[in-house]
Amino acid sequence: MKKICTLVLIVFLGFSCNSQKTDTTAHYARKNTNSQIVKLVGGNWFNGERFEKKTIWLKDGLIYFSNTEKKIDTIVDVSGKYVIPPFAEAHNHNLESKHELDKRIKSYLDNGVFYVKLLSSIKKRIDPLMHHYNKPDGIDVSMAHAPLTANGGHPIRLRKKHLKYGYFRGLFNTIEEIEFHGYVTINKQEDLDHKWNKILSFSPDFIKLNLLYSEEYEKRKNDTLYFGRKGLDPKLVPEIVKKAHANNLRVSAHVETAYDFHIAVNAGVDEIAHLPEISNGKLINKEDAILAKEKGVTVVTTVSLVLKKQKRKGYQDLVKNIVSNLRLLHQEGVTIAIGSDHYNGNSVGEFQFLYKLNIFSNHELLKMWTENATRTIFPNRKVGALKEGHEASFLILNKNPLKDISNINKSIVTRVKQGSFLK
């Protein structure tokens, strides 16, 4: 006899089940259902543009729009509910340490965030923690490991401070030992050629490079006053991109200014890791935004970082500059993904900040947080959309986010990851 389940808002179980079988819903929710065939009926499924009522089958962790087999293990009634892809966090660094790790992972999953892009991580530090990640009942991560920078560039100052505070006890004794693990210095073409194979030996999922105030590269490169506030020689960026692409690796560029954005887009990077926070008043050029659209560059927002400067003079001007840049990218059709870079938070706060700016429609925000963010993290996986043959990972909501997207994460009734119903 099939189990016929009615989805209701029960926080602990995720859904309830009326059945003559002895299997309880709690038992079913804990089981890995990948080998079972689950039929979901009555739900409104997001097709990328709108919601449409569909019957969906889950089998082997994938979504199917039809079922060629006679047997069905479970029928789940999701009538009146709305189904969307999971959320993603396209920029963070907060999963490489044991400190409060369970709390961080729980926050991601509770808020429906299944995919996280770590823009830098120390491999020796995160390797012992990898059993937490990339599994059906956990979050999936993509990692760059050590970012490329110049002598004295970001994040060397940060690594030095963490070394002093004892964060790397048992791993490194000097700042020099951290190279290749926490940063890689590239000052000329010979450095790039000589160090490239060792960079690849750390098995990065993508390459991250740091551009900071590249319009002042010559001024800053040998000045210790700018320790930690500079980055790569902009002339090297096209060569880095060329090498990365030859090894089927995408490139994410940390930028600080509109000129950094210009250099990165013209060099052919795949992703801009921050919207430039324009303190000098120089906004992104329209020509660079048009080129970003033509080249398929994804821009990750991280705009809520400005909240750290909320009490400083000029804060409102910074917000106006952010709004101007976002409007330009939006107007030119550039792909925008939601990422926060908040170590003690995640993309929920970034979404809320973007929502309050009132630039994007509910539909656009939904795509930015699901499809766009997920695809810049895992471009080669069938995730981020509810399509035939895609991974059966989705969120079931009790309200239509196209009509009301405020506090969308609070309307999650059930989370499903690769066919497994999460508690």
Side-chain angles (χ1 to χ4, degrees):
M1 183 183 296
K2 304 180 187 73
K3 291 187 292 180
I4 301 176
C5 304
T6 302
L7 190 70
V8 296
L9 184 56
I10 297 180
V11 175
F12 180 71
L13 298 182
F15 63 89
S16 71
C17 184
N18 298 316
S19 173
Q20 295 178 10
K21 281 201 168 188
T22 57
D23 300 86
T24 65
T25 301
H27 172 69
Y28 176 72
R30 286 195 298 269
K31 286 172 66 177
N32 186 320
T33 62
N34 286 359
S35 62
Q36 298 184 346
I37 297 177
V38 180
K39 181 180 180 181
L40 293 98
V41 298
N44 302 291
W45 294 71
F46 186 60
N47 65 10
E49 297 300 324
R50 64 188 182 280
F51 285 95
E52 54 183 344
K53 193 161 287 187
K54 278 188 174 184
T55 297
I56 300 291
W57 287 263
L58 311 183
K59 179 187 174 185
D60 298 327
L62 302 178
I63 292 173
Y64 292 95
F65 292 165
S66 62
N67 181 32
T68 58
E69 300 185 34
K70 291 183 179 180
K71 79 161 192 169
I72 298 173
D73 295 290
T74 304
I75 298 175
V76 180
D77 185 355
V78 291
S79 297
K81 306 301 178 186
Y82 297 84
V83 189
I84 63 170
F87 303 129
E89 164 65 279
H91 189 139
N92 218 311
H93 304 267
N94 64 358
L95 295 172
E96 73 159 13
S97 166
K98 292 186 294 185
H99 179 66
E100 295 189 334
L101 182 59
D102 290 341
K103 177 181 176 182
R104 297 183 196 280
I105 292 174
K106 184 177 186 302
S107 178
Y108 277 118
L109 293 175
D110 284 354
N111 285 292
V113 180
F114 289 2
Y115 312 113
V116 182
K117 192 167 193 174
L118 299 177
L119 271 290
S120 66
S121 56
I122 293 176
K123 187 173 174 62
K124 285 177 72 173
R125 210 172 175 212
I126 199 171
D127 272 355
L129 306 175
M130 288 305 297
H131 62 280
H132 291 284
Y133 312 128
N134 304 330
K135 57 183 184 177
D137 60 347
I139 54 177
D140 295 348
V141 297
S142 174
M143 300 170 287
H145 297 310
L148 279 52
T149 190
N151 281 348
H154 179 67
I156 300 174
R157 181 178 182 174
L158 190 63
R159 301 300 193 209
K160 191 172 184 179
K161 181 172 74 171
H162 288 171
L163 180 69
K164 180 181 177 181
Y165 290 165
Y167 293 174
F168 304 141
R169 189 173 292 112
L171 296 176
F172 311 107
N173 296 309
T174 67
I175 188 65
E176 290 77 18
E177 291 178 15
I178 301 177
E179 181 163 13
F180 289 105
H181 298 272
Y183 64 89
V184 182
T185 54
I186 306 290
N187 299 300
K188 53 185 184 293
Q189 183 66 44
E190 290 80 1
D191 293 337
L192 180 61
D193 295 337
H194 177 67
K195 296 182 178 183
W196 186 250
N197 284 339
K198 189 166 183 180
I199 292 170
L200 295 182
S201 74
F202 281 71
S203 301
D205 295 315
F206 61 98
I207 297 295
K208 183 190 178 185
L209 58 84
N210 285 346
L211 280 170
L212 290 85
Y213 312 100
S214 52
E215 62 269 41
E216 296 183 354
Y217 172 75
E218 291 297 333
K219 172 185 174 182
R220 293 179 180 233
K221 70 175 182 178
N222 295 318
D223 192 334
T224 55
L225 285 175
Y226 295 105
F227 180 46
R229 293 186 292 130
K230 53 189 173 183
L232 289 160
D233 182 343
K235 297 187 186 72
L236 290 173
V237 178
E239 294 302 316
I240 294 170
V241 172
K242 183 178 177 182
K243 278 186 175 291
H245 287 176
N247 287 273
N248 297 315
L249 291 170
R250 286 163 56 88
V251 179
S252 180
H254 171 124
V255 303
E256 292 286 338
T257 66
Y259 188 77
D260 294 337
F261 186 98
H262 167 79
I263 291 295
V265 170
N266 278 270
V269 305
D270 304 282
E271 177 185 273
I272 303 292
H274 293 276
L275 188 78
E277 186 187 297
I278 310 303
S279 56
N280 60 11
K282 294 181 180 179
L283 304 175
I284 295 171
N285 289 327
K286 183 175 181 178
E287 293 77 13
D288 292 332
I290 293 171
L291 187 59
K293 165 63 175 176
E294 290 176 355
K295 291 192 171 188
V297 177
T298 297
V299 177
V300 179
T301 53
T302 70
V303 293
S304 60
L305 289 172
V306 76
L307 291 170
K308 295 178 180 179
K309 301 179 180 180
Q310 201 166 5
K311 295 182 180 180
R312 296 187 191 179
K313 183 179 179 181
Y315 169 76
Q316 292 301 330
D317 290 334
L318 288 176
V319 174
K320 286 179 183 177
N321 290 338
I322 286 170
V323 169
S324 295
N325 279 333
L326 285 173
R327 288 194 188 281
L328 173 64
L329 297 174
H330 180 229
Q331 172 188 313
E332 299 305 328
V334 178
T335 300
I336 301 173
I338 293 182
S340 72
D341 195 20
H342 274 285
Y343 191 84
N344 292 315
N346 55 54
S347 53
V348 174
E350 182 74 8
F351 161 78
Q352 291 167 343
F353 186 84
L354 288 164
Y355 173 75
K356 290 175 183 176
L357 290 180
N358 200 29
I359 298 171
F360 307 101
S361 69
N362 290 352
H363 175 262
E364 289 163 341
L365 285 169
L366 184 60
K367 296 267 281 189
M368 287 161 57
W369 201 9
T370 57
E371 181 179 322
N372 296 356
T374 300
R375 288 185 177 175
T376 200
I377 301 172
F378 296 112
N380 300 317
R381 277 174 61 179
K382 291 183 177 181
V383 287
L386 306 178
K387 295 182 179 180
E388 176 96 23
H390 275 48
E391 293 180 24
S393 299
F394 49 84
L395 307 172
I396 302 177
L397 314 178
N398 61 13
K399 68 178 183 180
N400 185 344
L402 297 184
K403 292 183 178 179
D404 181 6
I405 203 169
S406 61
N407 297 315
I408 182 175
N409 54 303
K410 301 295 184 183
S411 71
I412 301 171
V413 176
T414 301
R415 303 151 186 82
V416 179
K417 177 118 185 308
Q418 294 174 320
S420 294
F421 286 73
L422 306 184
K423 282 172 54 175

